[in-house]
């Protein structure tokens, strides 16, 4: 039972990781004008991604503001996800570091 819960949490963390990666790539494509938010499909995807990621990024952005136009908050989220995945893996094998 515990292993199933840990696997489910790991799966959720993987989904969050992919959502953030898609959001980062899409923000670059929008910034470099490869895709345009005037397209309704692109705008709706961008809106959904922002609604999903903003509650996670907002507290991090309060602590670490953008540096010279570079937003490091997604990088912090990736580090946290990496830490949590390793912690879950340690619990799954029965040894907590």
């Amino acid at each position: 039972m515990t292993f199933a819960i840990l696997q489910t949490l790991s799966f959720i963390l993987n989904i969050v990781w992919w959502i953030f990666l898609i959001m980062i790539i899409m923000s670059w494509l929008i910034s470099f004008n490869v895709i345009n938010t005037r397209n309704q499909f692109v705008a709706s995807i961008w809106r959904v991604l922002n609604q999903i990621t903003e509650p996670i990024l907002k507290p991090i952005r309060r602590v670490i503001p953008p540096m010279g136009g570079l937003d490091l908050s997604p990088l912090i989220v990736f580090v946290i996800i990496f830490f949590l995945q390793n912690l879950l893996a340690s619990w799954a094998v029965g040894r907590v570091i």
Side-chain angles (χ1 to χ4, degrees), residues 19-36:
I19 289 171
F20 272 94
L21 184 64
I22 292 168
M23 189 265 311
I24 291 168
I25 292 171
M26 195 167 177
S27 72
W28 290 344
L29 293 174
I30 290 170
S31 294
F32 293 118
N33 208 19
V34 175
I35 59 176
N36 197 332

Side-chain angles (χ1 to χ4, degrees), residues 6-16 88:
L6 294 176
Q7 285 291 101
T8 303
L9 291 174
S10 179
F11 179 71
I12 291 169
L13 286 173
N14 280 331
I15 291 173
V16 171
L88 290 174

Side-chain angles (χ1 to χ4, degrees), residues 62-96:
R62 272 187 256 147
V63 176
I64 302 173
M67 297 180 197
L70 184 62
D71 186 12
L72 297 177
S73 56
L75 180 64
I76 303 299
V77 171
F78 282 141
V79 170
I80 292 169
I81 290 172
F82 179 75
F83 172 77
L84 291 174
Q85 285 178 330
N86 284 329
L87 186 65
L88 290 174
S90 298
W91 284 343
V93 292
R95 57 186 163 90
V96 177

Side-chain angles (χ1 to χ4, degrees), residues 35-51:
I35 59 176
N36 197 332
T37 54
R38 284 180 280 183
N39 181 332
Q40 286 186 358
F41 179 71
V42 172
S44 64
I45 292 175
W46 184 243
R47 208 172 314 117
V48 168
L49 286 173
N50 278 326
Q51 288 175 350

